[in-house]
Amino acid sequence: MTSLFQRHQLGELTLPNRVVMAPMTRVRAASGGLATPSMATYYAQRATAGLIVTEGVQPSLIGQSNPGTPGLHTEEQQASWQQVTDAVHANGGRLFAQLMHGGRVSHPDTTGTRPVGPSAVPAVGDVFTPTGPQPAPVPRALETSEVPEHARSYADAARRAVDAGFDGVELHGANGYLISQFLSSNANLRTDGYGGSVAHRIRFAVEAVSATVEAVGAARTGIRLSPGGTFWGVRETEVTELYTALLGELARLEVAYVHLEATADEEVLVALRRAWPGTLVMNPVVPMGPKQTGRSEADHWLALGADLISFGRAFIANPDLVERLRTGVPVAPVDEATYYQGGDAGYLTYPAHQYSA
C-alpha cells in the first residue's frame, strides 16, 4: 500500500512525502492585503509538509471575501509575498498559493463595492466585515460580457504568484465561493452559456483554469473542489455527472492536481477518483466539522487511490505534523479562539515536539 511518507512527483516538483497542508484562512494580512513577516514564519515552520497550500488569496479587490486576507492583484502585494516564498524554500518546502474569489460571499464594507455572483441570489448566513458579522447582501448578477474578466483574474493573480516565487497555484473551486457558485444549481440561475445545463455550469471553472494554465503552465495549476457541498447555502444537482464532466475538461488541460473535499458520499468520491487520471489530493474530513484528519483517515484514502492527503486544523497547532504522524506522537489540540483573532498568539506560538535523538 502507498505510504504517507513516500515521495510523489507533482509536475516538476518532487514531494518528499504525501502530506499536504490544506489552505486555511487565518486573517493575519496587513492593511492593503499584504503578506507579513509573521506569515513568512508561520508557513516556514510547516515546510516539512510535502506541499503547502496557502490561505485563500483574493485575485482582485472585488474578489475579497473577508477583511484581513491577503491579495495578489497589486505590485505591492506581489512583492510582500516574496518573503514568504523565500522563507519556505529556505526551509526546504514547496508552496502553492490558493486563489480565492469570494463572489457573493463578501460585503461592501469589506471591499467598498457590491459583491458579484452568477445570479442575484444572496449567500445563506452572515459574512465577516470590518465591524463584525452582517447578513450576506444580494450580489449583483454578472453580465455575460463581464464573466471572462473574472475568469481571467485567476490567471493574472497566478502570474503574480509565480513572479513572487510560488511553485504554483490552486484555484479555490469549493466551499461556496465564486467557482462553486457557478457550479451550483441554486446560486446560478443563469439562462446564458454559463448556467442551466451541466456543460454550461462547468464553463466558468473551465475558463478560469484554462486561463491559468495558459498563464503559468498546467504543472503549476491545481484546483480544489467540494462535490455536493452546501457551504454558504449552495446546492448542486447531478453531482456525479457535474463533476465527472468537469474532471474530463481538467484532464484535457492536464492540470497538476485535483483537490477533493469529502463533501459527498464515499461511493461518489471513489467514482470521481476513477474518473480523474491525474494526481488526486484528498481532504478526508469536511471543513468546519468536529473531526480532524488523522493517520487512519489518511491511510484509508491512500488505500482507495488518493495520491496525497491534505490536513487542515491539525497543522495549526502542530508545525511538525509530518514527524508526529511518522512517529505516532499525539497531535496537539488547537485553540479555536485564536483562529481569526490576529496577532502571533495561536499562530506562531505552537511548539514542535522535542524528539529524542
Side-chain angles (χ1 to χ4, degrees):
M1 186 181 112
T2 301
S3 165
L4 194 58
F5 309 105
Q6 288 177 343
R7 294 177 181 270
H8 180 77
Q9 195 68 31
L10 184 69
E12 298 177 0
L13 296 175
T14 301
L15 311 187
N17 57 66
R18 294 168 184 254
V19 178
V20 175
M21 178 176 167
M24 292 174 286
T25 296
R26 302 304 309 275
V27 293
R28 257 73 172 190
S31 177
L34 304 182
T36 68
S38 289
M39 291 166 63
T41 300
Y42 171 74
Y43 287 114
Q45 286 177 341
R46 290 153 178 82
T48 53
L51 177 68
I52 294 172
V53 184
T54 71
E55 62 212 276
V57 181
Q58 55 261 16
S60 62
L61 178 58
I62 200 171
Q64 183 175 1
S65 180
N66 303 314
T69 55
L72 263 171
H73 54 89
T74 71
E75 294 290 338
E76 193 176 13
Q77 289 167 353
Q78 176 182 322
S80 74
W81 279 107
Q82 191 72 57
Q83 65 190 313
V84 179
T85 59
D86 285 349
V88 170
H89 290 150
N91 278 11
R94 295 137 299 276
L95 187 67
F96 272 39
Q98 189 192 62
L99 305 179
M100 174 183 152
H101 190 311
R104 69 179 186 170
V105 185
S106 186
H107 196 279
D109 288 359
T110 299
T111 64
T113 190
R114 184 180 175 188
V116 297
S119 302
V121 179
V124 175
D126 291 345
V127 295
F128 296 103
T129 78
T131 57
Q134 295 192 48
V138 177
R140 180 178 67 80
L142 289 167
E143 299 290 340
T144 303
S145 60
E146 295 179 284
V147 176
E149 167 194 343
H150 289 267
R152 287 194 301 271
S153 72
Y154 295 92
D156 294 339
R159 288 190 190 91
R160 290 190 179 278
V162 170
D163 288 345
F166 281 98
D167 298 297
V169 297
E170 174 183 284
L171 277 64
H172 197 346
N175 297 9
Y177 299 110
L178 187 61
I179 292 175
S180 175
Q181 291 159 32
F182 271 94
L183 294 171
S184 169
S185 47
N186 69 344
N188 181 354
L189 306 179
R190 303 178 72 92
T191 57
D192 62 3
Y194 290 96
S197 68
V198 162
H200 288 173
R201 279 157 49 206
I202 68 172
R203 180 179 171 187
F204 180 77
V206 173
E207 289 185 357
V209 174
S210 296
T212 305
V213 167
E214 184 176 349
V216 300
R220 288 176 165 165
T221 304
I223 186 170
R224 183 168 165 101
L225 302 169
S226 53
T230 57
F231 304 95
W232 297 107
V234 300
R235 299 280 177 183
E236 296 167 346
T237 58
E238 309 155 300
V239 171
T240 301
E241 180 185 352
L242 178 73
Y243 283 92
T244 299
L246 177 55
L247 293 178
E249 291 298 313
L250 298 175
R252 180 179 59 81
L253 294 169
E254 300 182 324
V255 298
Y257 68 79
V258 167
H259 188 174
L260 290 184
E261 296 175 12
T263 44
D265 292 341
E266 187 172 292
E267 180 182 358
V268 172
L269 297 171
V270 170
L272 296 179
R273 160 71 283 188
R274 295 192 185 110
W276 171 243
T279 292
L280 178 71
V281 184
M282 191 67 210
N283 186 238
V285 175
V286 178
M288 311 307 289
K291 188 171 174 52
Q292 294 188 33
T293 301
R295 181 70 186 273
S296 62
E297 290 84 8
D299 288 343
H300 176 74
W301 276 102
L302 288 172
L304 289 176
D307 299 292
L308 306 170
I309 305 296
S310 67
F311 295 76
R313 286 160 290 175
F315 257 115
I316 293 177
N318 299 273
D320 58 336
L321 180 63
V322 174
E323 195 60 23
R324 287 178 186 256
L325 293 169
R326 191 192 309 273
T327 60
V329 170
V331 174
V334 64
D335 179 4
E336 295 186 11
T338 64
Y339 277 0
Y340 311 122
Q341 74 173 14
D344 289 345
Y347 191 58
L348 305 183
T349 53
Y350 291 110
H353 179 73
Q354 296 301 308
Y355 300 90
S356 57

